[in-house]
Amino acid sequence: MKTPTSSTETQLEIQAIMVELPPEVIISILSRLQVGRLLCFRSIAKPWRSLIDSPYFVDLHLEKSAEAKSHLSLILRKDSDLYYINFDSLDDAVELNHPLMCYSNRIRVLGSCNGLLCICNVAEDIALWNPSTKKYRVLPSLPSDRKRDSGMCLCGARVYGLGYDAGHDDYKLVRISQFIGLDYLSFESEVKVYSLRNNAWKKVEDMPYVLCYTRKMGILVSGCVHWVVTRQIELDQLATELVIAFDIVKETFREVPMPESMNRICQIDVGYLGGCLCIVAKYEDAGVDVWTLKEYGVKESWSKLLTLTQARRIKSVRPLVYSKNGREVLLEQDHENLVWFDLKSQRVKIVKVRGLPDLFEAVVCMESLVSVHPSRRDDRKKQESVGGKKNKKRDDFLAEGFKLVL
């Protein structure tokens, strides 16, 4: 009878195999594994832990996941609960233990970026949370917004958006608070940006647009966070909606060119699909069109991806992700269903998921090792100077380290 192998023996077997491999091969293998596996492998040897925890490897793992479009999951929100669905299987919705108290009220997802989720509760507690590593950080609180101008009422709308500032290696949360005048015609906006690296908020330039949707999270594409707005408040007629972008690095706003041939008499929403900005145009009687911007910033690269026309009224559509073969698009429809839309046949197929909530909002999240406690930039530069794949000192260190633990 075969004796069960202990975890220690398994680790020794793995070490014995790995020690025969070149360090660059070991790094390449590890960089393609799921986060859960990597967290287990941290305990095998100190060199592995040093490697997996290093900013160099965190960035490499993120890069490999993005290139392969792997390690994707769906995060579903219903009331005060969050659920996880593995994208590769789409079989079970598993409830997550998030770090915020909800006081029997709903949780909000304010943004998603590189494996980090930004969530908020009814008490306006905000946390940056990595569901894969289960690490989180509660952000410094902000005082209640009150305008000194007596002609302005209290905050009428507030939206958020999460993004990554590659220039400063920093994650930033944007908060836009809007105040409507007592005449219901004038408005003012206040924009504040939180820096994870500085763990502080700061005020930036105001936004000269009217927010259309008060609780929609900003959509991150090409280093900019996007929302739907109008140029002014319209009481007697339907205002023309447009999309504005907040540049995470420059911390400035600009308008996004709209599709030339799109019928503008509609309600629009913004989304992210396959690395591209997309617009969901909802018409009163003619269904829904989804447009994608193939080359960011180039107006001529807008193209209509799909049209949904159904007998029953469509309340909402949110594009989530392409299938592995690129022939289908996974959609969230009416906050009730996940459906595959076949781009060739134009047919819709409902996805059956065990434990799927009856009403939900979905967001795509990529597993990552990104930390909510960033290393100091000086320390990061030192690690990167010894952490490149072409750096012989790091390879020698890893090779020697693997031999020492045997």
Side-chain angles (χ1 to χ4, degrees):
M1 183 175 179
K2 188 175 181 180
T3 305
T5 305
S6 68
S7 60
T8 302
E9 290 175 343
T10 302
Q11 289 184 6
L12 289 173
E13 289 175 1
I14 294 173
Q15 291 173 22
I17 295 171
M18 287 297 198
V19 76
E20 302 298 328
L21 299 176
E24 62 270 16
V25 175
I26 296 174
I27 294 174
S28 179
I29 293 172
L30 293 178
S31 68
R32 288 167 169 81
L33 297 181
Q34 292 182 329
V35 172
R37 290 281 184 89
L38 292 171
L39 295 180
C40 292
F41 287 170
R42 286 179 73 256
S43 63
I44 289 181
K46 288 183 180 180
W48 283 32
R49 183 163 58 248
S50 297
L51 170 66
I52 293 169
D53 290 348
S54 69
Y56 159 78
F57 185 81
V58 171
D59 290 346
L60 179 64
H61 182 266
L62 192 65
E63 177 186 328
K64 295 297 183 184
S65 298
E67 287 177 356
K69 297 180 176 60
S70 58
H71 308 147
L72 295 179
S73 63
L74 301 180
I75 304 296
L76 273 55
R77 182 197 68 82
K78 175 180 168 56
D79 298 330
S80 61
D81 299 321
L82 294 176
Y83 298 84
Y84 163 92
I85 300 176
N86 183 286
F87 174 65
D88 290 333
S89 58
L90 290 178
D91 51 5
D92 291 292
V94 180
E95 188 171 348
L96 293 171
N97 293 318
H98 61 75
L100 291 182
M101 293 288 293
C102 285
Y103 313 102
S104 300
N105 286 282
R106 66 174 53 190
I107 196 86
R108 290 178 60 196
V109 177
L110 306 181
S112 172
C113 178
N114 291 346
L116 295 183
L117 285 181
C118 188
I119 57 177
C120 174
N121 62 14
V122 69
E124 292 285 340
D125 300 321
I126 301 174
L128 275 176
W129 173 46
N130 186 325
S132 300
T133 64
K134 298 180 174 55
K135 303 295 185 181
Y136 69 94
R137 182 172 193 165
V138 177
L139 276 57
S141 59
L142 281 171
S144 300
D145 293 308
R146 289 181 178 271
K147 279 291 184 182
R148 291 189 295 252
D149 187 346
S150 59
M152 291 289 161
C153 67
L154 296 180
C155 182
R158 180 177 293 157
V159 295
Y160 293 83
L162 180 65
Y164 176 63
D165 179 348
H168 300 91
D169 184 33
D170 194 11
Y171 288 87
K172 295 179 178 179
L173 179 68
V174 188
R175 188 187 82 166
I176 305 174
S177 302
Q178 197 148 81
F179 308 87
I180 307 300
L182 298 177
D183 56 4
Y184 293 101
L185 293 174
S186 56
F187 66 92
E188 293 182 10
S189 298
E190 182 180 73
V191 184
K192 292 187 176 180
V193 176
Y194 168 80
S195 162
L196 178 61
R197 184 161 293 283
N198 298 325
N199 193 32
W201 293 89
K202 70 175 181 180
K203 191 176 184 300
V204 298
E205 70 171 60
D206 292 345
M207 181 192 71
Y209 301 95
V210 181
L211 292 167
C212 288
Y213 306 105
T214 60
R215 302 184 77 83
K216 291 274 189 178
M217 77 174 191
I219 300 299
L220 178 67
V221 183
S222 296
C224 296
V225 186
H226 303 79
W227 296 271
V228 179
V229 298
T230 60
R231 289 193 176 89
Q232 58 188 5
I233 299 174
E234 298 283 357
L235 296 179
D236 301 326
Q237 57 185 1
L238 185 65
T240 300
E241 296 178 342
L242 60 145
V243 177
I244 53 107
F246 180 82
D247 190 303
I248 289 293
V249 176
K250 298 178 181 177
E251 298 180 345
T252 55
F253 289 95
R254 66 172 181 268
E255 293 185 17
V256 175
M258 302 292 282
E260 193 70 45
S261 58
M262 187 181 82
N263 184 349
R264 300 295 295 277
I265 305 176
C266 62
Q267 288 183 325
I268 65 173
D269 197 2
V270 286
Y272 172 92
L273 184 63
C276 298
L277 181 69
C278 63
I279 287 179
V280 180
K282 180 174 175 290
Y283 302 96
E284 189 66 29
D285 300 314
V288 175
D289 290 336
V290 176
W291 296 74
T292 58
L293 186 62
K294 299 297 184 183
E295 186 176 350
Y296 190 80
V298 179
K299 183 177 182 178
E300 294 74 22
S301 69
W302 279 111
S303 64
K304 188 187 294 187
L305 178 69
L306 62 90
T307 297
L308 279 171
T309 55
Q310 292 186 348
R312 70 184 185 89
R313 184 179 176 86
I314 298 173
K315 299 174 185 176
S316 67
V317 171
R318 175 181 294 181
L320 295 173
V321 63
Y322 286 105
S323 61
K324 291 288 187 180
N325 59 21
R327 298 170 187 166
E328 297 175 301
V329 178
L330 186 66
L331 306 173
E332 174 202 307
Q333 185 173 323
D334 297 340
H335 303 300
E336 296 176 349
N337 294 308
L338 294 173
V339 301
W340 282 116
F341 181 90
D342 190 298
L343 294 172
K344 185 176 181 180
S345 68
Q346 305 287 297
R347 292 179 179 176
V348 173
K349 179 177 63 177
I350 295 179
V351 181
K352 300 293 184 182
V353 179
R354 287 187 295 272
L356 188 72
D358 52 0
L359 288 172
F360 60 87
E361 292 178 353
V363 61
V364 178
C365 185
M366 182 168 60
E367 290 186 14
S368 81
L369 294 161
V370 172
S371 175
V372 294
H373 300 283
S375 59
R376 292 185 306 174
R377 299 194 75 196
D378 291 343
D379 291 344
R380 186 182 183 94
K381 289 177 181 178
K382 289 178 183 177
Q383 291 191 50
E384 287 176 346
S385 68
V386 298
K389 288 186 286 185
K390 297 180 181 179
N391 191 290
K392 186 176 184 301
K393 288 184 179 180
R394 182 184 186 88
D395 291 348
D396 292 344
F397 162 73
L398 286 171
E400 186 63 27
F402 289 126
K403 292 175 184 176
L404 287 175
V405 297
L406 289 175

